[in-house]
Structure formats: C-alpha cells, structure tokens
Amino acid sequence: MDDKIVADLHTHTENSDGTYSVEELIKAAKEKGLKSIGITDHDIVNGLFNVEALSKKYNIEIIKGIEMSCNLNGKDVHILGYGLNIEDDDFKKELIRIKKIREERNDKIIEKLNKLKLNVTLDELKTIAKGDIISKAHFADLMIKKGYVYTKGDAFKNYLGKSGLVFVEKKNYKPIDAVKTLKANGALISLAHPKLIGANDNEIEKLIIDLKEFGLEGLEVNYYSFDKKDKEKYIKLANKYNLIITGGSDFHGENRVNVTLGETGLNEKEYLEFKKSLKNK
C-alpha cells in the first residue's frame, strides 16, 4: 500500500496561533505535493471565507475546518470539525461566545503578569497577533520580545503552562458542547490527538463512547508526535467504534518549528474514506 501523504487535515494560520497567512499555507501545501489541506484554526473561521479562489489558483482542495478548544476534568480536549457551514448564524454566535471566554482568560493572565512586574498590555498583544484570536503563544512571543524569557519553552514552563505562575484555567467548555455545536452545523466531527489528552487509555475510550452518542464520527489516528504503537492503538479504537480515521501535522509555522507541513496526514486510501464520509454529510 502506498503510504504517501496526500492530505494534511490539521493546520493553523495566523488567524489563530499559526504564523502563515491562509494563502502562504495553501501555497506551501501545494509545493509539498498535497492534494488537500484542512485549515483548522482554533475557535475561529475568519480565514475560510475566500478559500475557493485560492483553491482554484493553486489547484488544491481545501477542507474548511476548525479545532475547538475544550476542557474536561482539568484536561485539554480538542475537537476537530470538517466541512463547516461557515454561514451558519447559530455557529457564528457560539464562536463569539467562545471568543469572549478566551478574552476573559487573557485579561486574567495579563493581570497576573503585571502583578509580577512583567508588564504586558492588550494593545501590545494585538500587535503580535495578526488575527482576532490572542492565544498563549502570542503571550510567549511578546514575553520574548520584551526580554522576560529567552524561549517559548521558558514562557510556558515558568509562566503560561499548567504549572506556571500565571496559568489560568479557561472557563469550562466541555467537549460534548463542541460536538453538539458541530453536529448542528453539519460538520464531520473528530477527536483530535487523543494521546495528548492523557495517558489513561480507559479514560480516552470512555470519552469516545460519550462523545459518539452526541455525534463524534472520527478519531485523529495520524498525528506528528504519534509513534507506530500509538497509531496501531488508535486504529483499533477507531475500528471498534466505527470512527473515520483523520490525521494531520498540526502545523503552526514558526510557532512549532519541529513540525513540517504534510509530514503527517492521510494516505490516498484513508483520504478517499474521509471524503466519502464528508460527502455523505
């Protein structure tokens, strides 16, 4: 079987926490020889409104997607949606609500940093973030720029990460809520990078069972940091619960320098199965 990657279904642009513009990302995907690319910015669809013209320009299929950031029992859980209806008013309203949750958290992080005499402002963060979403990656970039830390790793380890001095838990947004939202939108729904949720395989399986009841249809089996054993394990889970295999590099441009666009994703057979499921939505 030809294992050549033809589709990278997990990428980010400058509209969330990536560093490439939408066109730069699509052009790079074409240069990599990909047939298709899924654009899955965090909690935002701003980069998806004019992709049809870019699809024609570069002769590459573009899957309109999103990665919704959730939390469950103190753990991060991300839900991918594909084939979005970006004109759905209810969906737009939900994204506005989620953006406000993120903004509330960012205000608290700014307050905590300032108490430590690591002064940052919202206006400064807006000059770092090219899109409408301000993420912790943008905080890290600003902290480096101002000389508070040397690397992004330092920023997350010492300040922004779960054990950091300014960590703020995002207001509860449960995976089931994201699945319900995407189901109502008509999207194909996949659980992102299950291994990153935690090491307890029983918890992951229970989460899959719970989410499948509300519309989960896929599992991200192929992910840049997964080894062969990981993939075999998640293929078994996908088969057990009749889930579509999804996969991608989680490319963020310069914000994740150890990841190459198109190095992980779907081969031809997997992509055809994915497309079949997407078409049947």
Side-chain angles (χ1 to χ4, degrees):
M1 184 179 70
D2 187 0
D3 285 328
K4 180 186 176 184
I5 302 300
V6 300
D8 187 337
L9 298 182
H10 191 160
T11 69
H12 299 274
T13 75
E14 64 188 13
N15 287 285
S16 61
D17 56 349
T19 59
Y20 281 32
S21 70
V22 172
E23 183 163 6
E24 286 170 340
L25 179 67
I26 292 167
K27 182 181 178 183
K30 182 63 178 179
E31 289 171 350
K32 290 286 183 180
L34 295 174
K35 289 185 177 181
S36 180
I37 184 168
I39 299 175
T40 54
D41 279 315
H42 292 282
D43 304 323
I44 195 167
V45 295
N46 289 13
L48 302 178
F49 284 95
N50 298 304
V51 294
E52 287 81 7
L54 293 171
S55 177
K56 290 179 181 178
K57 179 178 179 180
Y58 292 101
N59 190 27
I60 186 171
E61 185 170 23
I62 300 164
I63 306 295
K64 294 179 181 180
I66 193 169
E67 183 174 15
M68 301 188 77
S69 307
C70 312
N71 46 66
L72 183 67
N73 301 324
K75 295 179 179 178
D76 292 331
V77 179
H78 290 185
I79 305 294
L80 293 159
Y82 295 108
L84 297 175
N85 173 8
I86 58 174
E87 301 295 345
D88 177 358
D89 286 337
D90 288 338
F91 186 59
K92 289 179 184 178
K93 288 175 185 176
E94 181 66 0
L95 294 185
I96 290 170
R97 189 182 76 83
I98 293 168
K99 184 183 177 187
K100 288 179 180 177
I101 292 173
R102 186 184 289 270
E103 288 171 346
E104 288 170 5
R105 183 186 67 173
N106 288 343
D107 287 342
K108 291 176 182 177
I109 293 173
I110 291 170
E111 184 180 342
K112 284 192 168 190
L113 283 169
N114 290 342
K115 283 183 179 179
L116 294 174
K117 307 300 181 186
L118 303 176
N119 296 315
V120 302
T121 68
L122 185 59
D123 286 339
E124 288 174 322
L125 286 162
K126 286 179 178 178
T127 65
I128 297 288
K130 295 179 182 178
D132 286 343
I133 292 288
I134 294 174
S135 72
K136 288 191 284 188
H138 298 123
F139 275 95
D141 285 337
L142 181 58
M143 292 173 75
I144 292 169
K145 184 178 179 181
K146 301 193 79 167
Y148 298 149
V149 294
Y150 290 110
T151 68
K152 287 183 180 179
D154 292 339
F156 277 89
K157 180 180 178 181
N158 298 321
Y159 297 100
L160 302 167
K162 286 191 176 180
S163 59
L165 294 172
V166 302
F167 175 74
V168 176
E169 188 80 57
K170 194 165 77 171
K171 188 177 178 182
N172 233 14
Y173 186 62
K174 290 184 168 49
I176 284 176
D177 296 329
V179 170
K180 286 179 178 178
T181 295
L182 290 167
K183 177 77 171 177
N185 179 265
L188 190 156
I189 308 159
S190 179
L191 178 62
H193 38 60
K195 185 178 179 180
L196 272 58
I197 299 169
N200 189 321
D201 290 341
N202 291 330
E203 285 185 4
I204 301 299
E205 187 163 2
K206 183 181 184 305
L207 177 62
I208 288 170
I209 293 168
D210 290 345
L211 295 182
K212 188 172 169 63
E213 181 181 344
F214 292 92
L216 183 73
E217 299 157 278
L219 184 66
E220 192 170 48
V221 169
N222 302 330
Y223 187 72
Y224 86 92
S225 64
F226 289 1
D227 60 24
K228 186 178 179 182
K229 285 187 176 180
D230 294 329
K231 291 180 182 180
E232 288 173 351
K233 175 170 63 178
Y234 296 126
I235 284 172
K236 286 181 181 178
L237 267 180
N239 290 337
K240 183 176 180 179
Y241 293 102
N242 195 29
L243 298 173
I244 294 299
I245 291 173
T246 70
S249 63
D250 204 359
F251 181 74
H252 282 69
E254 297 306 312
N255 280 339
R256 192 166 288 174
V257 294
N258 62 323
V259 175
T260 302
L261 181 66
E263 73 173 348
T264 311
L266 301 185
N267 62 32
E268 185 75 39
K269 181 180 178 182
E270 292 166 338
Y271 183 58
L272 288 174
E273 287 296 319
F274 170 82
K275 282 286 292 179
K276 182 179 177 182
S277 297
L278 198 61
K279 187 177 180 180
N280 290 335
K281 294 300 296 174

